[in-house]
């Protein structure tokens, strides 16, 4: 079985994204890394962030996992800021650490998004699909999860889609 890691990319470590990941990972099939616990600076052409956690994280991901799931709440119709910074830093692997960048080829990428309602806008997944294609990764798909009126219970239809998504990983 392929090893899959989930990168939790929320500004609230124990929020809705975490709750969804607990449901998805109830059998501990996946490793989860909370990006908010990492020191990852913005992309910089002068590599001013060379000593932060990004390169060691990528070395770990690329050596241990075949599939990466990006889990993000939707903020202002798009991915979280933490995930955007992570995605921008992939540029490091194209400019300064090409040896790592080449290792993305053949890996798989999937996306889990969530919000209070079933309101993800068309085009949300384009940056992920296009990035996967550009990097030579297989895009496994995506799922959007939302909550019932109480704001704490995953909606039945969303939970069914989440379980189908899990089978695709």
């Amino acid at each position: 079985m392929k090893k899959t890691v989930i990168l939790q990319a929320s500004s609230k470590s124990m929020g809705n994204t975490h709750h969804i990941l607990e449901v998805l990972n109830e059998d501990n099939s996946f490793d989860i890394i909370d990006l908010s616990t990492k020191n990852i600076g913005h992309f910089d052409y002068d590599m001013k962030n060379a000593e932060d956690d990004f390169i060691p994280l990528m070395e770990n991901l690329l050596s241990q996992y075949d599939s990466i799931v990006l889990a993000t709440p939707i903020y202002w119709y798009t991915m979280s800021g933490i995930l955007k910074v992570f995605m921008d830093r992939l540029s490091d692997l194209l400019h300064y650490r090409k040896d790592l960048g080449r290792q993305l080829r053949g890996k798989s990428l999937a996306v889990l998004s969530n919000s209070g309602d079933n309101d993800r806008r068309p085009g949300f997944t384009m940056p992920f699909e296009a990035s996967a294609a550009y990097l030579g990764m297989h895009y496994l798909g995506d799922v959007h999860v939302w909550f019932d009126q109480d704001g704490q219970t995953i909606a039945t239809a969303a939970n069914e889609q989440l379980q189908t998504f899990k089978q695709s990983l």
Side-chain angles (χ1 to χ4, degrees):
M1 181 155 112
K2 294 181 178 179
K3 287 185 77 174
T4 299
V5 63
I6 300 171
L7 300 182
Q8 178 180 322
S10 175
S11 60
K12 188 175 184 183
S13 290
M14 301 305 284
N16 287 344
T17 304
H18 175 77
H19 173 64
I20 293 164
L21 294 181
E22 284 183 321
V23 171
L24 179 69
N25 200 31
E26 64 189 354
D27 59 357
N28 291 314
S29 297
F30 314 112
D31 291 338
I32 298 173
I33 298 172
D34 183 353
L35 290 180
S36 71
T37 66
K38 302 295 181 188
N39 175 29
I40 300 176
H42 293 270
F43 174 73
D44 184 276
Y45 286 100
D46 296 323
M47 285 293 293
K48 293 177 184 170
N49 294 313
E51 301 300 317
D52 70 7
D53 293 335
F54 180 74
I55 293 297
L57 173 63
M58 291 308 298
E59 289 171 337
N60 177 49
L61 294 180
L62 293 168
S63 69
Q64 295 193 33
Y65 301 100
D66 295 319
S67 300
I68 300 169
V69 177
L70 304 174
T72 180
I74 295 179
Y75 296 145
W76 289 101
Y77 314 104
T78 191
M79 70 185 89
S80 68
I82 292 169
L83 185 53
K84 178 64 171 117
V85 168
F86 175 84
M87 296 291 291
D88 285 350
R89 285 298 294 278
L90 292 175
S91 296
D92 287 10
L93 308 183
L94 304 175
H95 295 286
Y96 311 109
R97 288 297 307 271
K98 291 179 183 181
D99 60 311
L100 289 176
R102 288 183 194 102
Q103 292 176 43
L104 288 167
R105 289 185 201 142
K107 302 279 185 184
S108 296
L109 182 71
V111 176
L112 183 155
S113 62
N114 72 91
S115 60
D117 294 311
N118 186 12
D119 60 356
R120 185 174 81 180
R121 299 292 200 265
F124 174 82
T125 61
M126 187 281 298
F128 307 109
E129 293 175 48
S131 295
Y134 183 79
L135 296 167
M137 300 178 77
H138 306 287
Y139 188 72
L140 297 177
D142 52 84
V143 67
H144 181 71
V145 180
W146 65 96
F147 294 84
D148 282 336
Q149 294 294 332
D150 66 9
Q152 297 179 351
T153 306
I154 296 173
T156 302
N159 193 36
E160 290 171 4
Q161 292 175 24
L162 183 64
Q163 297 309 316
T164 301
F165 176 74
K166 181 177 182 174
Q167 298 307 314
S168 71
L169 301 177

